[in-house]
Amino acid sequence: MSKQKVAVGISDREAEVLNLVGQHRSNAEIAAQLFISVRTVETHVSSLLRKVGVPDRRALAARSAEFARAERMSETIVALPSPLTSFVGRARERDALREAVRAHRHVTALGPGGIGKTRLALAAAADLAGDFADGVWFVDLVPVTDPAMIGSAVASALGLGENPGRGLDDSVQSALADRHTLLVLDNCEHLLDAAVPFIERLLARCPRVTVLATSRARLMVPFEHVYVVPPLSLDRDNDAIALFLERASALGWAVDPEQYDRVTEICERLDGLALAIELAAARLPTLGLDGLTASLADPLRLLVGGRRADDRHRSVRAMLDWSQALLTDPDRCLLRRVAVLVAPFTAADAAVVAGYPPLAPDAVADGLARLAEQSLLTTVASSAGTRYRALEAIRQYETEQLGATGELAEVLARHVRWCAKTAAELAVELPATSGGWRTRFDAAVDDIRAALAWAAEQPGHRAEAHELAVLLAQLTFARNLVGESQQRYEQAASLTDDPAAAASALRSAAAVAGCRMRGEDMYRLYRAAAETGAHDPAAAARDLATAAITVYRMTDTFSQLPPSGVAAMLLSEARELAGADPAAQAAIALAECGVLADAIDPDQGGLGAPEAIALAERAVDLAYRTGDPLAQSAALDALAAAQCWAGDTFATAATALRRVELLGFVPVTPAGAVERVNALAEAAETCVGVGDLANALRWGEQLRDLPLLAERGDFATSRLLVANALAGNVSDVLAGSGRFLDGWELSGRLPAPHLGTAAAAVALVHGLRGDDAARAEWLATVDALGVTREQKTAYSAVFDAIVLLHRGQADRALAGLAAEPDEMDERVVWVWRHWYLALRAEAAVLAGHPNARDYLAAARTVVAGNPIADAILDRAAALLDNEPDGLLATAAAFEAARCPYQQARTLTLLGGDSVEVGNALLADLGITPPTP
């Protein structure tokens, strides 16, 4: 193939973004991979939509394959608008719709099918692109058959993934809350009951968003301004005639000017309806003007009636009747059958669904080509080859024809079987979710949803519907559509009469709810599984015990905890049902760790730390007897909690590491994902506590890269930010802090006290860099996260001390560390005890405190074995005793402990030539030299 030399205006960064859009990555995933902000990705995608000339993200993903092929062949591809057909006329309507959108926050372009609402809306939206700083986004609602999926369709168009803890509707509203955006929602009429509340909430929460909807019916939402789309003009502008002539010319049939009157007569008979005119023009090569005029004589216009706007749909129906009559029987049959496919489809897809007697499968491809030539199907370019699609007006008409011929049930049943086969093939590839897998899933999912919706309502297809719901639940979880995954598992449970299958689906739904950080749902679903599976007492016992422990393990994810005593009641019921079943006994032992430890005051008869550890060790022993790594992980989590309560930092860290290593080879399932997220977070955190920065970074990186947390950049980066900040890896902290803020903003800036440490760690880094303004902003973020004074007592004192010691303000550092750790809540001080004591001792030495040696001695008895805390104490002792060789040794110790900041600072404290070396190391890290 010859090389093309065409300027496209796509930058290298935009090309990177385009490639990832082609892999069906969300904006947050792209931002994380390219180390840029989500807002920057949005800007690049908006620019690419304009440059490549496509209306939406799905089309942009399809075009990305062309760019990839061009790159492999060393070509340049033309990146200019390339609609399948040109937009003709409608200058007045285009101006009027554009001004309506400028004047109103919600405009509905209203009109019957085939009048040209979509093309007019797209043209007006293109004109308005410069008016909306944050872009114009097009959402095709035609493939959406489930009203609950409107938010998903909009999120997909915007490049949003699902944010655990929030639904996609909420994610959309959060993403658009401060954006100046035009959102085009095309073909709302079949989803009015869901579209109306969605738009109403969107407009209420997003004051700078404007919605342009197209619909056959008014949406009746506040602020709606209706613009009635008229037919193409037949007066002085002659838009109808221009459209006919343009489409005829595209087919190679130029009409002589002296025949324009006959074209006018044809367009008048078709009431100026765009779709009808396009269908007529497509017939010109076979019928000619004479044949068209004869075919559109009065006998074929019996359904047309008057020319009022509310009767226009009758003209379209008459035109479709006419188009049907001109088809051969096989093509008519094919068009009817492919109408059940809601998304663009390939010839192979159509052959499976429609290729049965009287149609031969090998005749389908040629039939599709003929239907496309006659404008009854449109063609859509894709990386998988040509795909076909029927316009919505034609698809609805042909579906009615299926009903009239008695074929509808059979074609829909074949559609269900094809979707089930497609879903099963996608499931075989799990857990691989490469760009190619995502592309295939996204191409199929709308049809799978439509097939499931139909089968679920058919008594004879409930078994197929159950299987399809389970498959769709698995696939959507892999695609990170976790809200839909939970919904599909619950739907699967409702579609089977087998209690065991229903209970299994409910357990999976509960695990997905855990991945979504929805503790109440998780608790509810385990209780529902126990009730559904009551025929199996041991299984019911496991579910009841798991519901009970959920109250304790997922406390932070409940908006309102169950009433006091309910968990104990569930545990009691579980004991009655368990029998000798090992898994049930293990689940009960785990639940006891929470229920029995609920009263933590030993003086009041509650459980003490030694008893809590003993309970947890018993739970671990019973869990290991089951051979189930997930049960073992949960029990180890209870043991780590008890060890933390006892103040044994090293034991807590060892248990956390044992747990995360156990989960390393566990298959990717919803239940496994819940455990893995929790285990990685706790392992990274406890490693910080014992000075194991190498593993803290290792587990923090794995947490950051979990697909499940792609949209939760705040939580995903939280542990890594802390480890990198303490190490002094400034560039990594600055890069991660952008993703942290993006994630928090996408979550709606909700209170999240557990993320306060990460924000404070970023403030620490800015303090070391001497940027007090940025430090103040991040400390304000800590407060905005809802962190109480008590919750941040320990880590704020540690981080402030590091900054103050760096700046030579040892007296202030010591004052901030005055409180005794033993007097703090163990949940507040546990990770920070070693850092706190070591820094306090060093501050005492540098401040010349008379009890400095006592501080050093007291700290050594606690931190011994923590390489960083030990090195801080050794450095302080060397400074106190004026031992330069001791300082050099601590510099090497800090290097071995993966803590370059403390290594560099040690050299600056050594004096002499070492100061210059230390300052150079600090500069390399991005840190200003310390104050002498």
Side-chain angles (χ1 to χ4, degrees), residues 452-469:
L452 175 56
W454 178 79
E457 297 297 322
Q458 310 301 313
H461 291 277
R462 279 176 56 85
E464 292 170 284
H466 167 75
E467 293 175 6
L468 190 55

Side-chain angles (χ1 to χ4, degrees), residues 481-659:
L481 298 172
V482 287
E484 184 177 359
S485 179
Q486 179 184 329
Q487 173 194 341
R488 299 305 179 187
Y489 276 123
E490 292 192 54
Q491 183 180 18
S494 71
L495 288 170
T496 179
D497 297 324
D498 180 354
S504 175
L506 289 169
R507 289 185 202 107
S508 294
V512 177
C515 295
R516 300 179 68 206
M517 302 181 188
R518 301 258 180 141
E520 283 152 305
D521 277 0
M522 194 176 186
Y523 171 79
R524 168 182 62 83
L525 289 162
Y526 274 120
R527 292 196 65 174
E531 183 176 347
T532 301
H535 67 288
D536 183 346
R542 292 196 301 272
D543 294 329
L544 288 170
T546 306
I549 196 59
T550 296
V551 176
Y552 299 96
R553 295 193 73 202
M554 305 290 289
T555 299
D556 291 342
T557 67
F558 280 77
S559 60
Q560 183 174 358
L561 288 169
S564 176
V566 171
M569 178 193 72
L570 296 177
L571 177 58
S572 178
E573 293 179 26
R575 286 172 175 151
E576 293 177 4
L577 295 171
D581 182 77
Q585 290 296 333
I588 288 169
L590 178 61
E592 289 173 342
C593 294
V595 173
L596 298 183
D598 203 11
I600 62 173
D601 185 356
D603 295 335
Q604 300 298 319
L607 205 64
E611 292 84 1
I613 291 175
L615 274 177
E617 288 175 339
R618 176 174 178 270
V620 170
D621 179 58
L622 290 173
Y624 269 81
R625 294 182 192 181
T626 70
D628 179 2
L630 298 184
Q632 296 163 25
S633 170
L636 288 170
D637 185 31
L639 177 58
Q643 292 165 333
C644 167
W645 179 13
D648 191 340
T649 308
F650 289 109
T652 304
T655 301
L657 285 174
R658 180 179 167 191
R659 182 181 173 209

Side-chain angles (χ1 to χ4, degrees), residues 710-737:
E711 309 300 320
R712 283 303 307 265
D714 47 357
F715 181 74
T717 60
S718 58
R719 273 50 174 186
L720 193 55
L721 285 172
V722 173
N724 273 319
L726 291 170
N729 300 327
V730 172
S731 60
D732 291 330
V733 171
L734 296 181
S737 67

Side-chain angles (χ1 to χ4, degrees), residues 55-81:
D56 57 28
R57 194 180 183 96
R58 180 174 290 191
L60 186 63
R63 289 296 302 275
S64 73
E66 299 176 35
F67 282 80
R69 286 196 297 272
E71 185 176 350
R72 288 195 299 270
M73 298 176 184
S74 301
E75 295 179 333
T76 305
I77 188 168
V78 179
L80 297 172

Side-chain angles (χ1 to χ4, degrees), residues 184-197:
V184 182
L185 302 179
D186 190 38
N187 285 284
C188 294
E189 59 276 345
H190 63 300
L191 300 167
L192 286 180
D193 289 344
V196 167

Side-chain angles (χ1 to χ4, degrees), residues 24 60 132 152 205 273 284 312 340 402 436 550 570 587 623 711 919:
H24 293 241
L60 186 63
F132 293 89
S152 178
R205 290 191 55 186
L273 290 170
L284 187 59
R312 297 289 177 185
V340 302
L402 277 176
T550 296
L570 296 177
E711 309 300 320
N919 285 340

